[in-house]
Amino acid sequence: MPAYRSLFRPLAAALAAAVLFTSTPAAAAGKPAAAPTPAAAAGLQVPVEYYRLPNGLRVVLSRDTTLPTTTVGVYYQIGFRVEPKGRTGFAHLFEHMMFQGTPNLPKGGLDQIVSGNGGAINGSTRFDYTNYYEVVPAHVLESVLWVEADRMRGLDINAASLANQQGVVKNEVRVNVLNRPYGGFPWLSLPQYANTNWNNAHNFYGDLTELDAANLEDVKTFFNNYYTPSNAVLVVAGDFEAARAKAWITQYFGSLPARATPARPDITEPAQTAEKRASYVDKIAPRPALAVGWHMPERNTRDWLAMGVVDELLLQGDASLLRQRLVRDRGMSSSIDGGVNLLGNLYNYNGPMLFTAYLIHDASNTPDAVLGAIDSAVDEFKAKPPTQEDMDRAITTLRSGLYDVVGSSTRFGLVDLLASFALFDDDPARINRLEAELRSVKPEEVQAAAQRYLRRENRTILTVEAGAAPKANTIGGVK
Amino acid sequence: MNRFNHCAAWLLAATALFTLPAQAAVDLSKVPAVGTPKDFVLPARETITLPNGLQVSFIPFGTLPKVTLVASVRTGNIDDGAHPGLADITADLMAEGAGDRDGAALDRYVAGMGGSLGVGSGETQFSVSLDVLAERGPDALRVIADVLRRPKLPASELERLRGDMARNISIARSQAQTQAGEAFQSLMFPGHPYGQGMPSDADIAGYTLADVKQFVATQFGAARTRVYVAGSFDRAAMEAAIRAAFGDWAAGPTPTGIPSLPKAQLGLRLVDRQDAPQSTLVLGLPVVTPDHPDWMALQVANSLLGGAFFSRITLNIREAKGYAYSPGSGISPRTGSAVWAQNADVTREETANALKEIFHEVERLQSEAPPLDELQRNQNLLVGRLALSVSTRQGLVGRVAFLDQFGLPDSWLSNYISAVRAVTPQRLVEVMQTHLAPAKMSLVVVGDLNKVRDSVKALPQIQTLPET
């Protein structure tokens, strides 16, 4: 089901349990990961060709003819952190406007070209980018390059389509947040408490009144400011002929005029010096919930890389320590979830970020009891460096996951990594060094990073009170 | 030994839709024509049957060093007996250690292969699955055999797992979509396991270790089980591992038949959800199963009506009216049955208007043949999505298991493509009349009834629908 243009990421299994009829908004790129073990010493190697057009557009090509499909992604370096004050949710609303037609292609035409030829199309808005992507049978590539260049050239914006998409987006917020138990918990709510800089701490989905306040002038200004060739990366991955693809890229994107992008606001987050706690009542949630968010070290530092391993060992998968202690040993929930960047992964953001763990639990466990269990597991983790077996398991999991990213039939995850490394690091070939990067992390570095960042003064605790607590729950309580 | 027919899924996909020829002096305001589709080849499978009846399908696929293993057993909630959900708690407990590994050791062992263990039950199919690095394929296979044949079923974990199930169900039931889905299934399958919904707290409290052990002892066996191996693997090594791990497994009891299906209840079910800012709608009816000759044409009709993003209902209530974000329709097949339903979460104040538009689109297609280009877009979409869905290990296994579940030959998939392409505008209208008649549809509305009941009940299509 293409449910389109979503800011939303599928929530934990607990929230999704037993929905008989889903019309799930498109999945975000899954937990990514990294690369090979001794068997394949060189690790996974993806072909990467990278260049820049005179107007500043960065282009990444990665050819793989295993399947006769081609995936195109256009990533603009504008996320919901940087949207106009008084216009919360605007970056995402704007994303919807990119599907409303251009002077050359009426509304609906884009989907007719892509889906009507057997492909799939979507877009999403994240912290530091907004992306538009398609997977199509290989013979449709030229048309897709045209449509992406066409909407980079200009939009057909009118009052009717803006009003229509304001209605759609408000219904997106209702279905994913307002009419949903634990809606926005913790991915949307926690950053608003943990951060202090407005760019990191506002409601990214948008207050309904501010969504309503958006006008045509806002749309034009945002487009002119941020939807420029030099602020974007074009990725083409899959089955294509390089010479022809490059000729089409030159033909369709090359004539777009270069435009300047305005200076960025300061998105830095001051260091947190004391633990923060917040709580709210969710009127339709049947059980309480708790989240802990720790500020991450700066991206691309050694500590940041080590935190990638911390995440894997502490929180990812059934074997992780928090899962073992809270789920298996204490029976507090069927799962504890989270990670670095709840709307993506370790790599696809570029600014302040949280490492988050969250769970839904029973009222028979107080928030302090749950927090105590988390603290105890985190302290256990910090007490000694991981064993070699732990390190091997983390690398194996990351490697296995990277194969799935690369091997997915849509290649959306692959395109996401290539685009992120081009946008934020000017180095898409970094994808081929992910395993080596992670292998370079020593167990002592993992322990040291955990000790430095998984501290109380560096964290925010958010609890959700169950406004719809069950009447008499006979067996929900635990040991 | 079975093989898929190779076929050229996109060979016929060229469309007349955007055929403006590329011009010498390029006019950037014109969409370039699409090229010529390439051949697409469906991966083939090879199936062997062990003397005890266990069937194994090998599906070599892709170049990445990973392999997916799934064991599918013909049991599930139809075998719950007096304990709704017993199959689910059994699945949960089977994941808590097997062979010589307790639960924690199993978690670590499996993570060390680059995978995670999945044990789960559906209504008629119970599955144990692992997706791992290719070189660990035989090890993963032995884990699956341990889980199926030597689960520890530790008494110490039962209370915790019952608590997890109760919690997760209470969370699921707090979602409007689950409330609507359970109400709708109860209308489609009154008194049948397919319509029973999720277990109650009392059901969950009633599970005992003896119930679980009895379920494992009586519902599993080689003759009920199919193993699927897809991806990169050493065929000989994998077959040897399978014969060693499963060769001496007893055939086991004959699978349970599906209890005979009741007649669906035609009706309107209103479920109150105070202060809900949206109304959650499910409109639908029973339709034919995948073995029926109309199935493929019905898929096309569904896509055009509500299944695709460019379907009529979505373009109407989302892209024209803005009443909803992610409306959609689909056909859910179960063994012996299938149901078509349109789902939508719509602005509370527009509940009746949204329903009016949905009915309008269903009714319009009862008589008015769709334009050929619109039909072709939907045909291309279905063929393209099939190609994408069989281009992953898990997708391939899913499709092949679907064929096995419904007793369909492997040629069904390639026929699917030609049958989808063969649907004409007139045929689509006939299928709509035969299978998607609005007068036979039941409706569930979950919402703030004080605010939406009257306007919904005033709709002409609803007035004849008995409230149940």
Side-chain angles (χ1 to χ4, degrees), chain A residues 191-358:
Chain A
Q192 298 181 48
Y193 296 103
N195 293 317
T196 52
N197 181 331
W198 181 89
N199 290 289
N200 307 315
H202 67 272
N203 176 358
F204 305 134
Y205 235 159
D207 300 321
L208 298 191
T209 50
E210 295 196 5
L211 287 169
D212 273 335
N215 58 47
L216 291 176
E217 202 49 43
D218 294 329
V219 177
K220 283 177 193 152
T221 304
F222 202 75
F223 180 84
N224 287 335
N225 282 346
Y226 299 113
Y227 281 69
T228 69
S230 60
N231 200 41
V233 167
L234 164 69
V235 182
V236 181
D239 190 358
F240 59 86
E241 232 179 89
R244 291 185 78 188
K246 285 193 235 180
W248 288 329
I249 289 166
T250 304
Q251 182 173 332
Y252 299 125
F253 290 90
S255 61
L256 293 165
R259 301 203 313 272
T261 308
R264 299 295 173 130
D266 176 9
I267 62 166
T268 56
E269 198 57 42
Q272 186 176 329
T273 53
E275 178 176 278
K276 293 196 251 187
R277 283 201 185 216
S279 185
Y280 65 88
V281 177
D282 183 333
K283 284 201 307 187
I284 53 177
R287 309 273 169 129
L290 181 144
V292 186
W294 291 270
H295 292 283
M296 279 284 288
E298 191 182 335
R299 190 173 177 277
N300 284 347
T301 58
R302 289 299 298 178
D303 274 345
W304 166 84
L305 196 56
M307 282 297 293
V309 180
V310 171
D311 177 27
E312 192 60 47
L313 293 176
L314 200 53
L315 197 48
Q316 301 305 317
D318 292 336
S320 65
L321 190 63
L322 277 167
R323 190 79 68 93
Q324 288 290 321
R325 294 294 174 260
L326 271 81
V327 174
R328 181 179 295 291
D329 297 349
R330 297 185 194 243
M332 285 181 161
S333 189
S334 58
S335 104
I336 174 165
D337 296 289
V340 180
N341 184 8
L342 292 183
L343 287 171
N345 57 51
L346 182 63
Y347 304 108
N348 62 0
Y349 69 91
N350 194 31
M353 186 48 67
L354 296 173
F355 170 60
T356 307
Y358 67 94

Side-chain angles (χ1 to χ4, degrees), chain A residues 77-244:
Chain A
Q77 195 170 346
I78 175 65
F80 45 57
R81 281 191 224 266
V82 181
E83 51 193 2
K85 290 192 180 174
R87 292 286 184 274
T88 55
F90 188 79
H92 170 237
L93 174 63
F94 183 87
E95 174 213 320
H96 280 242
M97 298 308 295
M98 285 286 282
F99 293 83
Q100 295 299 303
T102 73
N104 299 317
L105 189 67
K107 173 170 171 165
L110 180 51
D111 195 35
Q112 292 185 359
I113 291 173
V114 176
S115 303
N117 281 302
I121 176 171
N122 213 331
S124 62
T125 310
R126 295 290 181 263
F127 283 92
D128 300 296
Y129 64 68
T130 306
N131 64 356
Y132 304 88
Y133 50 92
E134 301 85 13
V135 57
V136 289
H139 68 282
V140 189
L141 174 61
E142 185 186 0
S143 304
V144 171
L145 292 172
W146 181 89
V147 299
E148 286 299 356
D150 180 57
R151 61 177 165 173
M152 195 182 288
R153 190 174 305 277
L155 303 179
D156 174 23
I157 291 163
N158 57 63
S161 63
L162 177 59
N164 168 242
Q165 292 304 307
Q166 284 168 317
V168 171
V169 169
K170 284 189 289 177
N171 272 309
E172 182 178 344
V173 175
R174 291 183 188 113
V175 77
N176 285 336
V177 180
L178 303 177
N179 196 33
R180 174 180 291 269
Y182 314 99
F185 172 82
W187 62 274
L188 185 61
S189 49
L190 184 61
Q192 298 181 48
Y193 296 103
N195 293 317
T196 52
N197 181 331
W198 181 89
N199 290 289
N200 307 315
H202 67 272
N203 176 358
F204 305 134
Y205 235 159
D207 300 321
L208 298 191
T209 50
E210 295 196 5
L211 287 169
D212 273 335
N215 58 47
L216 291 176
E217 202 49 43
D218 294 329
V219 177
K220 283 177 193 152
T221 304
F222 202 75
F223 180 84
N224 287 335
N225 282 346
Y226 299 113
Y227 281 69
T228 69
S230 60
N231 200 41
V233 167
L234 164 69
V235 182
V236 181
D239 190 358
F240 59 86
E241 232 179 89
R244 291 185 78 188

Side-chain angles (χ1 to χ4, degrees), chain A residues 309 312-313 319-321 381 384-398 443 446, chain B residues 108 111-112:
Chain A
V309 180
E312 192 60 47
L313 293 176
S320 65
L321 190 63
F381 187 85
K384 55 183 193 311
T387 64
Q388 193 54 48
E389 187 200 333
D390 290 336
M391 297 297 288
D392 290 346
R393 194 175 64 242
I395 297 288
T396 299
T397 305
L398 293 162
V446 175
Chain B
R108 278 196 306 275

Side-chain angles (χ1 to χ4, degrees), chain A residues 23-39:
Chain A
S23 44
T24 316
K31 276 284 147 197
T37 57

